[in-house]
Amino acid sequence: MSTQQTKTSPPKSKGRKPAKPAAKKGATPGKHVYFFGGGSSDGDASLRNLLGGKGANLAEMAGLGLPVPSGFTISTDVCTYYYDHGKKYPPTLRKEVEQNLAEVEKVAGRKFGDVKNPLLVSVRSGARVSMPGMMDTVLNLGLNDRTIEGLIAMSGSARFAYDSYRRFVQMYGDVVLGMKPESKDESDPFEEIIERKKRQRGVKEDTALTAEDLKDLVGEFKKTILARTGIHFPEDPQEQLWGAISAVFSSWNTDRAIVYRKLNDIPENWGTAVNVQTMVFGNLGEDSGTGVAFTRDPATGENVFYGEFLMNAQGEDVVAGIRTPLEISALRKIDPKSFKQLLDIRAKLEKHYRDMQDVEFTIEAGRLYMLQCRVGKRTGAAAIRIALDMVNEKLIPWKEGLLRVKPEQLSQLLRPTFVAAEKEAAVAIAKGLNAGPGAATGKVAFHADDAEAMAQKGDNVILVRIETSPEDIRGMAAAQGILTARGGMTSHAALVARQMGKVCVAGCDALQIDYRKRTMHVVVGGKTITIKEGQYISIDGSTGEVFEGQIRTEPSEVVRVLVDKTLKPNKAPHYQQYAELMIWADKARRMRVRANADQADQCANAIAFGAEGVGLCRTEHMFFGEGKIEPMREMILADNADERRKALAKLLPLQRKDFQAIFKVMGGRPVTIRLIDPPLHEFLPHDPKGQQEIATQLGIPASRVRERIEALHEFNPMLGFRGCRLGLIYPEITEMQARAIFEGAARAMKSGVQVLPEVMIPLVGHVKELELQSKLVHAVAAAVRAETGIKFKYSVGTMIEIPRGAITAGEIAGVAEFFSFGTNDLTQTTLGVSRDDAGRFLVPYVADLEIYPRDPFESIDQDGVGQLMRWAVDKGRAARSNLKLGICGEHGGDPSSVIFCDQIGLDYVSCSPFRIPIARLAAAHAALQAK
Ligand code: ADP
Ligand code: MG
Ligand code: MG
């Protein structure tokens, strides 16, 4: 049977002759429903916002002449209207649906609800961006006790017809009437009925059930629906259709959809579209099937056709992982005609969309239909490779190639792999599919909530599931890695893991998982191994291997080439691709990228990752080293300035040596050095034993140590005696630090190294604070220049990290030669939120109450903190046109914050060494988007 050409109806349009004159494409005011297929479409890919991704691409594919079963899309505007008007539809909607349904009937040559020749449809959701598995699809809609006769006659198979019917009643019960179990661990009432029937009949497989059995199931399903919901299963196809449409719109606001949107920054008001489409049947027999494919390998990016299919299967059988699918190349033998057609479509789609596509197809009795296409999700490595290849293939210009790689995806290339020797020694207990690359080790959790709870306690977790579903998303996000027993490379687990950048091994069918007992068994060499919740396992998402126990991980290829220098570039293909991409990124970006690095070795790493300077060198970290903490404590415990000077004199040579080493590594690149910042009590021990030790060392009574610590006690150290306040009250500290910096610079220059120190005064709120401190620093610089005869370059500036500093930036820029936004403290002080105490409320603030769109300590609060930054930039530049501007808070490595920094005109961002590649790419994206 073909839905478009049947025994009982004359052949109709095969997609060549437009069933309807081609209208001008575009959003039409007052129009809510858009037709596609049959050789003409009202919409196209440009209407994604209105038609959702699925609807827009179905229209686009139909427009390209690809075999798309015809249907229509109810726009996302209707979803918005529905929620704005107490779940009511626009008044003209019914009429539009009627007209479009008539059009679909015309193309299909069947009638919806017709007893002899019934049209069956699927009802599918589709938001602007794909939300895998978030919205449920209802298939085979239009069947009832009368139309079933038509389907039997048309298909010539009662078994097929009743199988379709029982699937429909089941899906309708689950999705539309809300009978789907809340969690995977509750059993589905329909599945229980099927199991009972199989036991009765003494068969193991669903496929062994007869037409008669399936017919019984339909009846029993309907009874269960009535018993559980009090609703009679609707026999009227119109009622079925509208029930399903409402269910799709309602599914926009299910918990799991909301969670997914939050995790992926999808606005609530986008809404979903509804697609109603002529059914095609992949379960019509051995010459039918269904599958999913990628136009390139989504794990490696290799330019090969990649996918999976099942013959005689319907809908999401492939994705659900109930049967293990075949590789797409096997289709060449089974159905060469459809395979060739698919290859042609692959080429056509890539040429048309100029990006890797993810497609869904169904073969009905040897005839191929395309059911979906969208831009394919991919790993970081694949994203880079595909971008480079497509530029080389002249499909896209290099700037677009650059935009195709998301900055955060680079972190996957920097992620650790297993230590080779340890991995060799370890015994693999099972092997699944290499669905999400990288290495992960952690404690086993079998339930998403357990994974969350364990992760919150600070454990590394591997979430192990038979298969995952959208309910598991939070647990997946909390886990280091995901392991499933069922499902292919395109299963839910694999798709979501790739998107989240998680390590994933899927379809590891040797595992026998018992959710109730929280254990899994696997038989290795005739011996059963049992792994309990909380035990360690390790998974390699690049090979699919699963190991018992913990395996140490080691740096990635890129890190080994750049930082460890234990791997030659020519032996490291991923490194080479990374390097090529970075050349483009550096060509495209305007902003400079610096590192937050406190020591010479960190500076060396930073340069390897492409740092162009140090944006934040915290001097206090230097005080904690061997032999340094003692004179530091001596200085703090001193009674007067003289004693303090004596202790500081011991620190001077130590700091000087550190600075000299940093200058040498940085080779003339700018180095922003922040003078001492934390409150002094942080350098002292708080336990009596430690205090006694210091007293003994310094030869002073323990009581004095205690008294001093008590005197330094503050109720609110974050707002206390710290930052420039220390240097203002104890100028000798600033003097010593400035001297160490400049003498280090002079010595470095003497040894032939260029230097560019930038002395940064922290926590300035009033210009006078800066005036006093910078006067001191300039005086020391002049003295060191005179003493050494070396004219090193340097500058003095400040960190803008409290609101008063930002507000009076104009005055401050009269003294400061540069600003560096310390957005950690600026966020704390602007929001009045202590980062260390915010755990209790900040998570619900973001996740549940939606007060801030993202954690303001992770991504700049652009409307609050960001406005202060903008103000400070404007006032600062107005006062001093060549004022140098940067950022050194954690935000410097967050892509969206980097883009914001570009927009407000900063000269550079500074972040931790391992975030530098990400910041370089984000800066490139910012520059390209600005144009
Ligand atoms: P999702 O958004 O979860 O991908 P889809 O709307 O794509 O959901 O539907 C899931 C599956 O249902 C599809 O992959 C396809 O196999 C099947 N399906 C949907 N519509 C049809 C149809 N008109 N004919 C046959 N199968 C369909
Ligand atoms: Mg689905
Ligand atoms: Mg789909």
Side-chain angles (χ1 to χ4, degrees):
M1 182 193 78
S2 151
T3 39
Q4 316 242 329
Q5 183 181 347
T6 67
K7 294 179 221 155
T8 48
S9 63
K12 282 273 169 175
S13 160
K14 284 187 194 166
R16 223 163 270 150
K17 225 190 299 143
K20 198 175 155 180
K24 205 175 153 276
K25 308 224 190 304
T28 311
K31 184 176 166 78
H32 302 107
V33 182
Y34 292 73
F35 182 84
F36 61 82
S40 88
S41 294
D42 292 347
D44 60 24
S46 69
L47 297 187
R48 162 182 285 271
N49 292 356
L50 193 67
L51 303 183
K54 201 179 285 166
N57 284 324
L58 283 168
E60 184 83 9
M61 282 200 292
L64 284 174
L66 302 188
V68 176
S70 69
F72 55 87
T73 305
I74 304 174
S75 78
T76 56
D77 282 354
V78 176
C79 186
T80 314
Y81 184 102
Y82 179 78
Y83 280 107
D84 286 351
H85 294 77
K87 304 207 167 180
K88 287 217 167 57
Y89 294 116
T92 53
L93 185 67
R94 281 196 183 257
K95 182 123 216 273
E96 282 184 70
V97 167
E98 251 168 52
Q99 284 164 352
N100 278 272
L101 193 60
E103 210 59 52
V104 173
E105 288 173 334
K106 225 191 272 169
V107 176
R110 310 181 172 290
K111 274 204 157 344
F112 192 58
D114 191 86
V115 177
K116 285 225 176 89
N117 188 20
L119 171 73
L120 303 186
V121 296
S122 64
V123 177
R124 322 169 64 186
S125 63
R128 258 192 235 189
V129 294
S130 85
M131 294 172 52
M134 283 294 125
M135 309 283 178
D136 288 305
T137 299
V138 177
L139 302 178
N140 309 332
L141 189 139
L143 279 175
N144 58 27
D145 288 345
R146 288 154 50 80
T147 56
I148 184 72
E149 299 303 331
L151 188 64
I152 295 171
M154 276 156 35
S155 64
S157 165
R159 195 190 178 283
F160 155 78
Y162 278 109
D163 187 44
S164 303
Y165 196 8
R166 76 94 191 149
R167 282 174 190 252
F168 168 52
V169 177
Q170 183 171 356
M171 277 187 260
Y172 201 87
D174 278 342
V175 176
V176 181
L177 303 176
M179 285 174 62
K180 196 185 182 117
E182 288 282 303
S183 94
K184 283 259 147 166
D185 308 332
E186 279 172 59
S187 52
D188 178 311
F190 300 113
E191 292 298 332
E192 273 175 16
I193 296 171
I194 297 174
E195 286 308 314
R196 207 184 315 137
K197 178 63 76 189
K198 284 198 287 193
R199 271 200 309 276
Q200 265 174 21
R201 289 277 173 273
V203 300
K204 280 214 153 134
E205 303 287 326
D206 292 10
T207 44
L209 294 174
T210 63
E212 212 39 50
D213 295 335
L214 295 166
K215 187 176 175 182
D216 288 349
L217 285 183
V218 170
E220 288 175 41
F221 283 4
K222 288 182 182 173
K223 269 192 217 139
T224 300
I225 288 175
L226 181 61
R228 291 230 182 180
T229 64
I231 296 170
H232 287 275
F233 175 80
E235 295 285 324
D236 174 11
Q238 283 294 337
E239 198 185 331
Q240 294 172 356
L241 178 63
W242 285 98
I245 291 170
S246 303
V248 172
F249 285 138
S250 302
S251 72
W252 177 252
N253 268 351
T254 57
D255 285 348
R256 53 188 187 149
I258 292 169
V259 167
Y260 186 88
R261 284 202 288 279
K262 275 192 186 136
L263 277 168
N264 292 279
D265 293 328
I266 299 170
E268 291 293 313
N269 62 5
W270 278 7
T272 180
V274 181
N275 300 289
V276 177
Q277 188 178 24
T278 306
M279 277 303 300
V280 288
F281 298 97
N283 54 338
L284 205 54
E286 288 309 318
D287 59 352
S288 300
T290 184
V292 292
F294 291 85
T295 57
R296 298 185 190 214
D297 186 329
T300 66
E302 200 188 335
N303 190 356
V304 292
F305 193 39
Y306 189 93
E308 296 169 328
F309 70 100
L310 279 172
M311 293 312 276
N312 202 4
Q314 185 177 42
E316 303 200 276
D317 292 355
V318 177
V319 186
I322 289 151
R323 277 157 64 192
T324 298
L326 300 174
E327 263 180 46
I328 195 77
S329 56
L331 187 64
R332 190 194 295 274
K333 274 219 180 104
I334 297 172
D335 183 351
K337 191 176 127 258
S338 296
F339 186 70
K340 159 123 206 336
Q341 206 185 342
L342 265 178
L343 287 183
D344 290 345
I345 289 171
R346 170 192 178 219
K348 200 165 184 175
L349 286 177
E350 276 221 343
K351 205 162 162 220
H352 182 73
Y353 283 100
R354 303 180 315 133
D355 200 351
M356 189 261 269
Q357 297 292 303
D358 164 354
V359 301
E360 297 179 355
F361 63 90
T362 283
I363 301 168
E364 179 185 282
R367 225 172 123 178
L368 177 74
Y369 293 95
M370 300 308 290
L371 291 176
Q372 192 173 330
C373 85
R374 62 186 173 194
V375 171
K377 301 252 155 46
R378 62 203 78 181
T379 63
I384 295 180
R385 173 144 184 201
I386 290 170
L388 294 173
D389 284 352
M390 286 196 166
V391 172
N392 285 335
E393 291 160 25
K394 304 219 159 26
L395 264 179
I396 52 173
W398 70 271
K399 287 181 181 174
E400 203 173 325
L402 204 48
L403 288 169
R404 292 278 173 89
V405 183
K406 295 201 193 86
E408 204 53 63
Q409 283 181 313
L410 285 181
S411 64
Q412 291 178 33
L413 267 82
L414 305 170
R415 242 192 286 149
T417 55
F418 287 128
V419 173
E422 281 201 19
K423 188 181 159 183
E424 252 158 58
V427 187
I429 53 169
K431 191 158 183 208
L433 301 168
N434 53 336
T441 187
K443 293 184 179 170
V444 169
F446 291 104
H447 299 270
D449 331 346
D450 298 337
E452 267 191 278
M454 283 157 74
Q456 240 151 37
K457 271 191 261 158
D459 282 329
N460 284 347
V461 183
I462 308 288
L463 178 64
V464 181
R465 301 283 300 167
I466 296 172
E467 54 195 288
T468 62
S469 70
E471 289 97 12
D472 299 325
I473 282 180
R474 278 182 199 260
M476 295 170 84
Q480 259 60 42
I482 296 141
L483 170 63
T484 65
R486 287 204 218 127
M489 290 296 275
T490 49
S491 63
H492 178 264
L495 283 179
V496 174
R498 277 202 287 275
Q499 192 182 3
M500 288 182 173
K502 297 279 173 188
V503 178
C504 178
V505 173
C508 191
D509 43 25
L511 302 179
Q512 292 199 308
I513 296 169
D514 188 331
Y515 285 144
R516 266 164 232 258
K517 290 201 185 124
R518 295 170 195 257
T519 57
M520 64 175 170
H521 305 288
V522 54
V523 180
V524 186
K527 227 180 74 195
T528 303
I529 298 176
T530 302
I531 291 170
K532 295 200 191 89
E533 181 182 80
Q535 249 172 277
Y536 273 101
I537 61 166
S538 303
I539 59 174
D540 188 330
S542 309
T543 62
E545 290 159 296
V546 180
F547 305 90
E548 196 180 358
Q550 242 177 319
I551 306 176
R552 264 190 311 141
T553 54
E554 73 176 352
S556 72
E557 220 180 62
V558 172
V559 172
R560 274 186 292 153
V561 171
L562 288 177
V563 180
D564 306 349
K565 315 236 181 332
T566 52
L567 191 63
K568 292 246 152 57
N570 59 5
K571 296 239 165 75
H574 288 135
Y575 164 75
Q576 287 173 5
Q577 287 160 16
Y578 157 88
E580 204 176 329
L581 187 83
M582 282 297 141
I583 292 173
W584 295 347
D586 292 344
K587 204 157 85 179
R589 71 190 156 93
R590 175 190 67 78
M591 276 194 303
R592 302 251 159 198
V593 177
R594 296 195 193 183
N596 297 350
D598 307 331
Q599 284 156 9
D601 56 338
Q602 293 170 3
C603 292
N605 289 351
I607 288 177
F609 282 125
E612 296 163 289
V614 168
L616 179 63
C617 173
R618 306 174 186 86
T619 52
E620 57 272 12
H621 288 191
M622 297 176 178
F623 294 128
F624 282 103
E626 266 296 302
K628 293 176 197 163
I629 188 73
E630 292 82 9
M632 184 65 189
R633 287 170 168 171
E634 191 181 329
M635 189 274 290
I636 295 168
L637 293 168
D639 257 349
N640 53 53
D642 267 354
E643 271 188 33
R644 247 189 317 275
R645 282 218 169 79
K646 242 186 261 157
L648 285 166
K650 292 185 200 163
L651 283 170
L652 174 68
L654 302 170
Q655 282 231 308
R656 183 172 61 213
K657 208 167 128 220
D658 286 338
F659 290 133
Q660 196 182 335
I662 289 173
F663 292 138
K664 191 164 165 224
V665 171
M666 294 308 294
R669 296 176 182 88
V671 179
T672 305
I673 299 163
R674 180 180 71 183
L675 301 185
I676 188 169
D677 181 61
L680 297 179
H681 74 87
E682 284 191 12
F683 297 95
L684 296 175
H686 289 260
D687 58 309
K689 192 164 157 262
Q691 292 169 2
Q692 181 59 55
E693 269 171 30
I694 296 184
T696 315
Q697 252 170 38
L698 299 179
I700 53 172
S703 58
R704 182 155 143 213
V705 177
R706 222 170 22 247
E707 272 161 31
R708 190 77 182 118
I709 288 173
E710 270 159 29
L712 285 172
H713 171 80
E714 290 174 320
F715 286 103
N716 202 339
M718 185 187 107
L719 303 177
F721 187 36
R722 54 168 290 221
C724 65
R725 299 156 197 177
L726 295 168
L728 284 160
I729 304 303
Y730 301 140
E732 50 279 8
I733 301 180
T734 301
E735 267 171 30
M736 182 282 287
Q737 289 206 296
R739 182 162 280 276
I741 293 167
F742 295 133
E743 287 184 359
R747 288 186 185 199
M749 279 185 81
K750 219 169 178 179
S751 68
V753 175
Q754 288 303 306
V755 298
L756 195 51
E758 300 172 339
V759 181
M760 179 156 75
I761 316 292
L763 217 71
V764 166
H766 198 293
V767 66
K768 283 187 188 163
E769 291 174 315
L770 183 63
E771 266 166 14
L772 289 168
Q773 285 284 287
S774 58
K775 213 164 125 194
L776 258 184
V777 174
H778 285 305
V780 174
V784 175
R785 277 179 173 176
E787 288 158 23
T788 59
I790 295 174
K791 292 265 169 299
F792 49 83
K793 277 193 271 183
Y794 75 98
S795 62
V796 181
T798 185
M799 212 151 152
I800 298 291
E801 54 185 330
I802 53 180
R804 195 180 194 286
I807 292 164
T808 60
E811 286 163 33
I812 290 175
V815 181
E817 292 168 274
F818 64 85
F819 286 171
S820 176
F821 289 97
T823 46
N824 298 345
D825 269 328
L826 191 59
T827 301
Q828 297 202 92
T829 50
T830 301
L831 273 55
V833 169
S834 150
R835 179 168 54 163
D836 303 318
D837 300 318
R840 216 171 297 158
F841 60 89
L842 212 45
V843 170
Y845 253 50
V846 177
D848 306 323
L849 304 171
E850 300 180 3
I851 290 170
Y852 295 107
R854 281 184 62 191
D855 180 339
F857 292 104
E858 255 169 43
S859 191
I860 290 175
D861 158 36
Q862 297 185 6
D863 299 333
V865 175
Q867 290 311 304
L868 271 179
M869 292 170 72
R870 225 185 257 280
W871 171 274
V873 167
D874 292 348
K875 299 290 163 189
R877 283 242 167 87
R880 184 190 289 264
S881 61
N882 64 347
L883 184 72
K884 204 192 265 186
L885 295 163
I887 177 175
C888 61
E890 294 292 308
H891 302 99
D894 166 63
S896 58
S897 304
V898 171
I899 289 170
F900 178 74
C901 290
D902 188 78
Q903 286 165 357
I904 65 170
L906 299 196
D907 297 306
Y908 70 86
V909 296
S910 186
C911 59
S912 72
F914 277 74
R915 300 291 299 178
I916 285 173
I918 295 159
R920 283 159 75 193
L921 184 55
H925 280 202
L928 293 176
Q929 283 162 12
K931 272 173 200 159

